[in-house]
Short mmCIF file of all heavy atoms in Angstrom, two decimals:
data_model
loop_
_atom_site.label_atom_id
_atom_site.label_comp_id
_atom_site.label_asym_id
_atom_site.label_seq_id
_atom_site.Cartn_x
_atom_site.Cartn_y
_atom_site.Cartn_z
N HIS A 23 0.83 -1.21 0.00
CA HIS A 23 0.00 0.00 0.00
C HIS A 23 0.86 1.26 0.00
O HIS A 23 0.56 2.24 0.71
CB HIS A 23 -0.94 -0.02 1.20
CG HIS A 23 -2.24 0.69 0.97
ND1 HIS A 23 -3.03 0.49 -0.15
CD2 HIS A 23 -2.91 1.61 1.73
CE1 HIS A 23 -4.10 1.25 -0.07
NE2 HIS A 23 -4.06 1.94 1.04
N ASN A 24 1.94 1.23 -0.80
CA ASN A 24 2.79 2.42 -0.91
C ASN A 24 2.02 3.52 -1.65
O ASN A 24 0.88 3.34 -2.07
CB ASN A 24 4.11 2.08 -1.60
CG ASN A 24 3.93 1.52 -3.01
OD1 ASN A 24 3.33 2.16 -3.87
ND2 ASN A 24 4.42 0.31 -3.23
N ASP A 25 2.66 4.65 -1.83
CA ASP A 25 1.94 5.81 -2.39
C ASP A 25 1.38 5.52 -3.78
O ASP A 25 0.27 5.96 -4.12
CB ASP A 25 2.87 7.03 -2.46
CG ASP A 25 3.15 7.61 -1.08
OD1 ASP A 25 2.41 7.28 -0.14
OD2 ASP A 25 4.10 8.40 -0.95
N ALA A 26 2.15 4.77 -4.61
CA ALA A 26 1.65 4.44 -5.95
C ALA A 26 0.46 3.50 -5.87
O ALA A 26 -0.49 3.61 -6.65
CB ALA A 26 2.76 3.81 -6.78
N LEU A 27 0.48 2.58 -4.91
CA LEU A 27 -0.61 1.61 -4.80
C LEU A 27 -1.86 2.23 -4.18
O LEU A 27 -2.98 1.80 -4.48
CB LEU A 27 -0.15 0.40 -3.98
CG LEU A 27 1.00 -0.41 -4.59
CD1 LEU A 27 1.30 -1.63 -3.73
CD2 LEU A 27 0.68 -0.84 -6.02
N LYS A 28 -1.69 3.23 -3.35
CA LYS A 28 -2.87 3.91 -2.80
C LYS A 28 -3.69 4.56 -3.91
O LYS A 28 -4.92 4.56 -3.87
CB LYS A 28 -2.44 4.96 -1.78
CG LYS A 28 -1.93 4.38 -0.47
CD LYS A 28 -1.46 5.47 0.47
CE LYS A 28 -0.91 4.86 1.76
NZ LYS A 28 -0.37 5.91 2.67
N VAL A 29 -3.01 5.12 -4.90
CA VAL A 29 -3.73 5.70 -6.03
C VAL A 29 -4.23 4.60 -6.96
O VAL A 29 -5.30 4.72 -7.56
CB VAL A 29 -2.84 6.71 -6.78
CG1 VAL A 29 -3.66 7.46 -7.82
CG2 VAL A 29 -2.21 7.69 -5.82
N ALA A 30 -3.46 3.51 -7.08
CA ALA A 30 -3.90 2.38 -7.90
C ALA A 30 -5.24 1.85 -7.43
O ALA A 30 -6.14 1.57 -8.24
CB ALA A 30 -2.85 1.27 -7.86
N VAL A 31 -5.40 1.74 -6.12
CA VAL A 31 -6.66 1.27 -5.55
C VAL A 31 -7.80 2.20 -5.95
O VAL A 31 -8.91 1.75 -6.26
CB VAL A 31 -6.53 1.16 -4.01
CG1 VAL A 31 -7.90 1.00 -3.37
CG2 VAL A 31 -5.63 0.00 -3.63
N ALA A 32 -7.54 3.50 -5.98
CA ALA A 32 -8.57 4.47 -6.37
C ALA A 32 -8.97 4.31 -7.82
O ALA A 32 -10.05 4.76 -8.22
CB ALA A 32 -8.08 5.89 -6.10
N GLY A 33 -8.12 3.67 -8.62
CA GLY A 33 -8.47 3.35 -10.00
C GLY A 33 -9.09 1.97 -10.15
O GLY A 33 -9.35 1.53 -11.27
N GLY A 34 -9.31 1.28 -9.03
CA GLY A 34 -9.94 -0.03 -9.05
C GLY A 34 -8.99 -1.20 -9.17
O GLY A 34 -9.43 -2.34 -9.28
N VAL A 35 -7.67 -0.95 -9.15
CA VAL A 35 -6.69 -2.03 -9.29
C VAL A 35 -6.46 -2.68 -7.92
O VAL A 35 -6.02 -2.01 -6.98
CB VAL A 35 -5.36 -1.51 -9.85
CG1 VAL A 35 -4.36 -2.65 -10.02
CG2 VAL A 35 -5.58 -0.80 -11.18
N THR A 36 -6.75 -3.97 -7.83
CA THR A 36 -6.61 -4.67 -6.55
C THR A 36 -5.51 -5.73 -6.55
O THR A 36 -5.09 -6.17 -5.49
CB THR A 36 -7.93 -5.35 -6.15
OG1 THR A 36 -8.34 -6.24 -7.19
CG2 THR A 36 -9.02 -4.31 -5.93
N THR A 37 -5.04 -6.13 -7.74
CA THR A 37 -3.97 -7.13 -7.84
C THR A 37 -3.01 -6.71 -8.94
O THR A 37 -3.43 -6.26 -10.00
CB THR A 37 -4.54 -8.52 -8.18
OG1 THR A 37 -5.41 -8.96 -7.13
CG2 THR A 37 -3.43 -9.55 -8.35
N ILE A 38 -1.70 -6.88 -8.66
CA ILE A 38 -0.71 -6.61 -9.69
C ILE A 38 0.28 -7.76 -9.78
O ILE A 38 0.52 -8.48 -8.79
CB ILE A 38 0.06 -5.29 -9.45
CG1 ILE A 38 0.83 -5.32 -8.13
CG2 ILE A 38 -0.89 -4.10 -9.52
CD1 ILE A 38 1.78 -4.13 -7.93
N CYS A 39 0.85 -7.92 -10.95
CA CYS A 39 2.00 -8.79 -11.16
C CYS A 39 3.23 -7.90 -11.04
O CYS A 39 3.57 -7.16 -11.96
CB CYS A 39 1.92 -9.45 -12.54
SG CYS A 39 3.35 -10.47 -12.95
N PHE A 40 3.86 -7.96 -9.88
CA PHE A 40 4.99 -7.10 -9.55
C PHE A 40 6.28 -7.81 -9.97
O PHE A 40 6.64 -8.84 -9.40
CB PHE A 40 4.99 -6.80 -8.05
CG PHE A 40 6.17 -6.01 -7.57
CD1 PHE A 40 6.65 -4.92 -8.28
CD2 PHE A 40 6.79 -6.36 -6.37
CE1 PHE A 40 7.74 -4.20 -7.82
CE2 PHE A 40 7.88 -5.64 -5.90
CZ PHE A 40 8.36 -4.56 -6.62
N ILE A 41 6.96 -7.27 -10.99
CA ILE A 41 8.07 -7.98 -11.61
C ILE A 41 9.33 -7.12 -11.66
O ILE A 41 9.26 -5.90 -11.63
CB ILE A 41 7.71 -8.44 -13.04
CG1 ILE A 41 7.12 -7.29 -13.86
CG2 ILE A 41 6.80 -9.65 -13.01
CD1 ILE A 41 6.75 -7.67 -15.29
N PRO A 42 10.51 -7.80 -11.75
CA PRO A 42 11.74 -7.06 -11.98
C PRO A 42 11.71 -6.35 -13.32
O PRO A 42 10.88 -6.65 -14.19
CB PRO A 42 12.82 -8.15 -11.96
CG PRO A 42 12.21 -9.30 -11.23
CD PRO A 42 10.75 -9.24 -11.55
N GLY A 43 12.65 -5.42 -13.51
CA GLY A 43 12.72 -4.67 -14.75
C GLY A 43 13.25 -5.47 -15.91
O GLY A 43 13.60 -6.65 -15.77
N SER A 44 13.31 -4.84 -17.06
CA SER A 44 13.70 -5.52 -18.29
C SER A 44 15.08 -5.08 -18.76
O SER A 44 15.38 -5.08 -19.95
CB SER A 44 12.66 -5.25 -19.38
OG SER A 44 12.43 -3.87 -19.52
N GLY A 45 15.95 -4.72 -17.81
CA GLY A 45 17.30 -4.32 -18.17
C GLY A 45 18.15 -5.48 -18.64
O GLY A 45 19.17 -5.27 -19.30
N THR A 46 17.74 -6.71 -18.27
CA THR A 46 18.48 -7.90 -18.69
C THR A 46 17.51 -8.91 -19.29
O THR A 46 16.30 -8.78 -19.17
CB THR A 46 19.21 -8.54 -17.50
OG1 THR A 46 18.25 -8.91 -16.50
CG2 THR A 46 20.21 -7.58 -16.90
N ASN A 47 18.07 -9.94 -19.92
CA ASN A 47 17.23 -10.93 -20.60
C ASN A 47 16.37 -11.73 -19.63
O ASN A 47 15.25 -12.10 -19.96
CB ASN A 47 18.08 -11.89 -21.41
CG ASN A 47 18.90 -11.20 -22.48
OD1 ASN A 47 20.05 -11.54 -22.71
ND2 ASN A 47 18.30 -10.22 -23.14
N MET A 48 16.91 -12.05 -18.46
CA MET A 48 16.14 -12.75 -17.43
C MET A 48 16.31 -11.97 -16.15
O MET A 48 17.32 -12.08 -15.46
CB MET A 48 16.62 -14.20 -17.27
CG MET A 48 15.79 -15.03 -16.31
SD MET A 48 16.41 -16.74 -16.13
CE MET A 48 16.08 -17.39 -17.76
N GLY A 49 15.31 -11.16 -15.83
CA GLY A 49 15.43 -10.23 -14.73
C GLY A 49 15.28 -10.85 -13.36
O GLY A 49 15.72 -10.29 -12.37
N GLY A 50 14.62 -12.01 -13.27
CA GLY A 50 14.40 -12.67 -12.00
C GLY A 50 12.93 -12.99 -11.78
O GLY A 50 12.13 -12.98 -12.71
N TRP A 51 12.58 -13.24 -10.54
CA TRP A 51 11.27 -13.77 -10.16
C TRP A 51 10.42 -12.68 -9.54
O TRP A 51 10.89 -11.91 -8.71
CB TRP A 51 11.44 -14.94 -9.20
CG TRP A 51 12.36 -15.97 -9.76
CD1 TRP A 51 13.72 -16.02 -9.62
CD2 TRP A 51 12.00 -17.08 -10.59
NE1 TRP A 51 14.22 -17.10 -10.32
CE2 TRP A 51 13.19 -17.77 -10.91
CE3 TRP A 51 10.79 -17.56 -11.08
CZ2 TRP A 51 13.20 -18.90 -11.72
CZ3 TRP A 51 10.79 -18.70 -11.88
CH2 TRP A 51 11.99 -19.36 -12.19
N GLY A 52 9.16 -12.63 -9.96
CA GLY A 52 8.24 -11.62 -9.46
C GLY A 52 7.15 -12.23 -8.59
O GLY A 52 6.98 -13.46 -8.54
N ALA A 53 6.40 -11.36 -7.94
CA ALA A 53 5.34 -11.78 -7.03
C ALA A 53 3.98 -11.30 -7.54
O ALA A 53 3.87 -10.24 -8.16
CB ALA A 53 5.58 -11.21 -5.64
N LEU A 54 2.96 -12.07 -7.27
CA LEU A 54 1.58 -11.67 -7.50
C LEU A 54 1.03 -11.18 -6.17
O LEU A 54 1.07 -11.91 -5.17
CB LEU A 54 0.77 -12.84 -8.04
CG LEU A 54 1.36 -13.47 -9.31
CD1 LEU A 54 0.60 -14.73 -9.69
CD2 LEU A 54 1.36 -12.48 -10.45
N MET A 55 0.55 -9.94 -6.14
CA MET A 55 0.24 -9.31 -4.85
C MET A 55 -0.98 -8.42 -4.93
O MET A 55 -1.36 -7.94 -6.01
CB MET A 55 1.44 -8.48 -4.38
CG MET A 55 1.84 -7.37 -5.33
SD MET A 55 3.20 -6.32 -4.71
CE MET A 55 2.33 -5.37 -3.45
#
C-alpha cells in the first residue's frame, strides 16, 4: 500500500503482477500481490 498503490486502488486495481525490470534478458522472479 505504498503511495503508488494507494492511487492504484482508487483506479480499481486490486492485484498486480509485480516484476523485476527488463534491463536484462532474465530479470528474476516476481510476485503476485
